[in-house]
Amino acid sequence: MRLLLVWLAARRSLRTTPPHERPSGLDEYRTPMRVMPNDLDLLRHMNNGVFFTLLDIGRVDLLVRSGAQHAVRSQGWYPVVVGESIRFRRSLTLWERFEIVTRVLGWDERIVYLEQRFERAGRDGRPEVVAEAWIVARFLRRTGGAVPACDVAAAFGLDGPSPQAPEAVLAWSRSLDLAHRPTDASPDGHADAREPEAPGPASTPA
């Protein structure tokens, strides 16, 4: 139900916001939410697994409100998450309001780097980070093969070079063998491009 509500709200925002007032593909996208009873674990905190599910919904909000979903769907592309890591700082309890803050950090030849945060209002009224995550994603074609990340960036209206992603994110990506690396030459002299198996698709409404 949350996914449907966020998707509908994002579609409405896209229709009612003039193009020049829409956030860019590199802006922060804020998705408001609230802790529901079925989010809780036995200690009455939001379950760790729920955080990952909600991160997916935050990325859907970015995809739709940025206007990229139309371009992605028309090209027959779909997104997959190939790696993610989350750091928990605080707990969320029943009925607490919070926001998922999603932004694109950059991209290389094959993957896109994103940062997502869970924020709530602190005691002083300023935003307080509850959890923060790094995500590596890529787009695949339904006909087969991967979509170059620069083409994905163009779908988000980002035609220039990638911003410099934080070194900590790049190091983490390299440690998991997610980042792009030059293809190695095979014994016959031809480039040997690695193409890992595609993980399951992220939840993206049609």
Side-chain angles (χ1 to χ4, degrees):
M1 180 59 73
R2 268 187 177 135
L3 176 60
L4 177 61
L5 293 175
V6 167
W7 181 71
L8 290 173
R11 288 285 300 271
R12 183 171 61 251
S13 174
L14 185 65
R15 288 196 305 267
T16 59
T17 304
H20 66 279
E21 295 182 8
R22 294 174 190 164
S24 78
L26 293 176
D27 286 335
E28 291 186 341
Y29 288 75
R30 292 181 171 269
T31 310
M33 292 192 181
R34 195 170 190 174
V35 181
M36 304 303 290
N38 60 332
D39 295 329
L40 303 181
D41 58 21
L42 293 178
L43 298 178
R44 293 178 292 178
H45 299 145
M46 192 162 85
N47 183 278
N48 292 350
V50 173
F51 280 83
F52 286 98
T53 299
L54 298 185
L55 287 175
D56 193 42
I57 296 177
R59 294 189 295 272
V60 169
D61 192 28
L62 178 151
L63 187 65
V64 176
R65 283 204 285 144
S66 67
Q69 186 194 24
H70 175 73
V72 167
R73 185 174 57 187
S74 65
Q75 294 283 352
W77 303 344
Y78 63 94
V80 295
V81 169
V82 295
E84 57 187 327
S85 177
I86 191 167
R87 179 183 180 187
F88 299 101
R89 294 178 176 270
R90 299 171 179 86
S91 297
L92 288 171
T93 56
L94 186 61
W95 307 127
E96 268 199 276
R97 296 183 182 275
F98 62 94
E99 290 184 321
I100 301 174
V101 185
T102 305
R103 70 185 181 111
V104 174
L105 295 175
W107 56 90
D108 63 20
E109 286 85 345
R110 64 188 294 269
I111 58 176
V112 179
Y113 303 96
L114 300 101
E115 176 192 67
Q116 292 185 274
R117 305 189 306 276
F118 288 76
E119 291 185 355
R120 68 183 177 193
R123 293 181 179 179
D124 59 1
R126 293 184 295 181
E128 179 180 69
V129 177
V130 174
E132 51 195 343
W134 296 334
I135 292 90
V136 169
R138 63 189 310 200
F139 283 71
L140 303 178
R141 295 185 177 89
R142 297 194 183 278
T143 55
V147 181
C150 60
D151 292 344
V152 175
F156 281 84
L158 303 172
D159 296 323
S162 168
Q164 179 61 45
E167 180 55 37
V169 176
L170 298 177
W172 164 76
S173 178
R174 288 193 297 267
S175 73
L176 296 178
D177 199 26
L178 300 176
H180 170 78
R181 65 185 181 193
T183 57
D184 299 320
S186 62
D188 60 4
H190 294 91
D192 180 19
R194 62 174 184 160
E195 186 63 47
E197 292 185 11
S203 299
T204 306

